[in-house]
Amino acid sequence: MTTPDPSSFDRFPTLGDYSTALQHPRLCFSDDAELRTARVTGDTLLGPIASSGNFGGVYHLVAEDGQHEWGVKCFTRASDIRPERYRSICARLAGVDPDTDRWYVPLQFLPEGIQVGEHRWPVTKMTWIRAPGLIDWIDRNVRNGTYLRKLAGDFTDVVLRLEELGIAHGDLQHGNVLVSAGRRVRLVDYDAMYVPDLAAATRPEGGHRHYQHPRAATLFGPRMDRFPARVIQLSLLALAHDPDLWTDLREQEDERLLLGMGDFADPATSEAFDVLSQCSDGRVRDIAARLLKDLDSDPDDIPPLERLRPAAQPAVRAPAVRTVPVATPTPTPPPAAPSPPAAPSPSGPPLPSPAPRAPGTEAAGGARDEKRVTTTNGTGGPPPPRTSAPRPEHRPAAPPSPSGTAGRASGPPRSAHLRRRAAEQARRMIADKKAAERTARRQKVTLVLASVIAFVTTVLVVIGVFAPDAVPERVCTSVPLACARAASPTPSGTP
């Protein structure tokens, strides 16, 4: 068994070659004690099936006892620097504890991992994670804003942790982000990863087109995850605020989240940026504005993500409790004699004299004063007197939209895409209604015809029983039941 030399790297096996070899794990994984006794999952007729990706495909293997699972990536494209790259990546990740850094999935690079034909070829061996990809997870949880915000926070923490370690994933996108129990982010596929030992190397791949900065094809360093990470962060927070964006801004088959390559190439005409920039959630608007600035910046100058904190809840101030004085019944006072008019005051108009108080009411008034509790305004003093301010007749004008266009400030955004979608739904509803009406008419006609046929048959049967001679012969031929008694038996002995 030999390892191919660099001159033969352009003749890597195809996925079909690997699938044929994997039908016999004991032979193709003879040097790996775990893989050679494992079972490769696949189709009963087609055999082992790989999920294809960059540079090759990944096969799922299950241990003989079912307790362990692995993903084995087999390469179909040549790269004479792959062994050195993976040695550097595995050496850097060896110090990462998967129990603490839960984003990390343990990885091994096996330079002569699998035998296909007469040669042995390199593979990577990674623990298999039973968790849905990002798009599948969003499909299931798009209406749960709490889950989406929790995932956005964990994803942001993972990206910032990678920068603390001085590394970058290199291809952050929905296919490489898995969501395990507890809304925890797991990252897979480390082919394009950057580690400090590879600082002098070039970027091995450009990453997914719907997540990369338009000018980031050659960017290779610890900051290359910032733009795609902000794209994912923005999409998760926007969906947490408005789950209808999942169908309004993308098609079901789209291999992206809310933004894509077209939005990055021409943000001025992007419907997604238009909607996100006017979102009523301030945090979504801020991140969308930051992403637009990132598109105008050099990819290496993009700032890091801001760690997400739970939205601060406004403090609820308990209303002041005002004790209402208890009314004490008082006897009806006798009519008092009219008091003489007060003498005019030289300094101004006369002051009204206080109303006379009936005997015994002084005590009642004192009791009411004792029961009155004065509310405070937080400083220990009496509350300020209430003043009734006049209400304005007109509401103040709304502030101008950040985009500066009058059309956007007048109401919620209505794009051509949404109008087309609404028109299409209306056409479908009309078509379905017409089809239902046609079906109902056909059923009604069928029911009427069946009733007529049953009635005519019944009449003929009655006539045939009680007046057999009245039934024409041709009717007897067509409906024998109507002439059941028309042909009476021949008398015995008559020819």
Side-chain angles (χ1 to χ4, degrees), residues 33 91 105 123 142 188 202 245 279 321 375 381 419 438 465 467 493:
V105 181
V123 299
V142 70
V188 297
T202 58
L245 297 178
C279 180
V321 179
T375 59
R419 290 196 296 271
R438 288 195 297 269
V465 171

Side-chain angles (χ1 to χ4, degrees), residues 283-370:
R283 185 159 55 178
V284 173
R285 289 198 309 271
D286 293 343
I287 299 176
R290 178 66 260 177
L291 197 62
L292 287 171
K293 292 181 180 178
D294 292 346
L295 288 171
D296 292 333
S297 305
D298 186 272
D300 200 35
D301 296 334
I302 295 175
L305 271 64
E306 292 185 3
R307 198 177 300 274
L308 299 179
R309 301 296 184 187
Q313 299 295 331
V316 179
R317 184 176 179 180
V321 179
R322 187 181 299 275
T323 303
V324 180
V326 180
T328 305
T330 60
T332 305
S339 58
S345 174
S347 60
L351 296 176
S353 59
R357 180 175 292 183
T361 57
E362 289 81 4
R368 286 196 297 269
D369 292 340
E370 291 177 0

Side-chain angles (χ1 to χ4, degrees), residues 145-428:
T146 301
Y147 282 10
L148 287 163
R149 292 186 186 92
K150 170 66 171 61
L151 183 65
D154 190 66
F155 174 78
T156 302
D157 293 342
V158 167
V159 174
L160 295 177
R161 175 58 178 163
L162 292 177
E163 291 205 22
E164 291 178 3
L165 297 173
I167 63 180
H169 182 275
D171 189 19
L172 286 181
Q173 44 109 339
H174 61 268
N176 293 335
V177 178
L178 307 183
V179 185
S180 62
R183 279 78 64 190
R184 303 305 297 262
V185 169
R186 312 296 294 271
L187 301 180
V188 297
D189 192 352
Y190 302 157
D191 286 345
M193 179 169 280
Y194 167 85
V195 296
D197 290 346
L198 298 175
T202 58
R203 188 169 186 171
E205 60 176 280
H208 199 291
R209 66 186 186 281
H210 289 315
Y211 295 83
Q212 296 297 319
H213 192 286
R215 300 189 300 277
T218 59
L219 177 63
F220 189 59
R223 302 178 182 179
M224 63 180 179
D225 285 343
R226 292 181 177 180
F227 184 85
R230 187 165 279 119
V231 171
I232 296 174
Q233 181 194 59
L234 174 61
S235 297
L236 292 174
L237 292 177
L239 290 172
H241 176 74
D242 184 2
D244 290 334
L245 297 178
W246 190 237
T247 53
D248 291 344
L249 297 182
R250 62 188 299 277
E251 300 295 337
Q252 188 174 4
E253 299 80 12
D254 281 352
E255 287 297 308
R256 63 179 180 86
L257 301 185
L258 300 185
L259 295 165
M261 178 177 58
D263 303 300
F264 307 147
D266 191 5
T269 61
S270 166
E271 176 189 353
F273 273 123
D274 182 49
V275 173
L276 297 175
S277 298
Q278 300 182 71
C279 180
S280 58
D281 187 312
R283 185 159 55 178
V284 173
R285 289 198 309 271
D286 293 343
I287 299 176
R290 178 66 260 177
L291 197 62
L292 287 171
K293 292 181 180 178
D294 292 346
L295 288 171
D296 292 333
S297 305
D298 186 272
D300 200 35
D301 296 334
I302 295 175
L305 271 64
E306 292 185 3
R307 198 177 300 274
L308 299 179
R309 301 296 184 187
Q313 299 295 331
V316 179
R317 184 176 179 180
V321 179
R322 187 181 299 275
T323 303
V324 180
V326 180
T328 305
T330 60
T332 305
S339 58
S345 174
S347 60
L351 296 176
S353 59
R357 180 175 292 183
T361 57
E362 289 81 4
R368 286 196 297 269
D369 292 340
E370 291 177 0
K371 293 183 180 181
R372 184 177 297 110
V373 178
T374 304
T375 59
T376 64
N377 57 2
T379 60
R386 293 186 178 180
T387 58
S388 58
R391 295 184 178 178
E393 296 182 359
H394 302 282
R395 294 184 178 179
S401 170
S403 60
T405 56
R408 296 178 184 174
S410 61
R414 297 296 298 172
S415 63
H417 174 77
L418 298 181
R419 290 196 296 271
R420 288 195 302 271
R421 183 181 293 275
E424 182 180 354
Q425 292 177 351
R427 286 195 296 270
R428 290 179 181 175

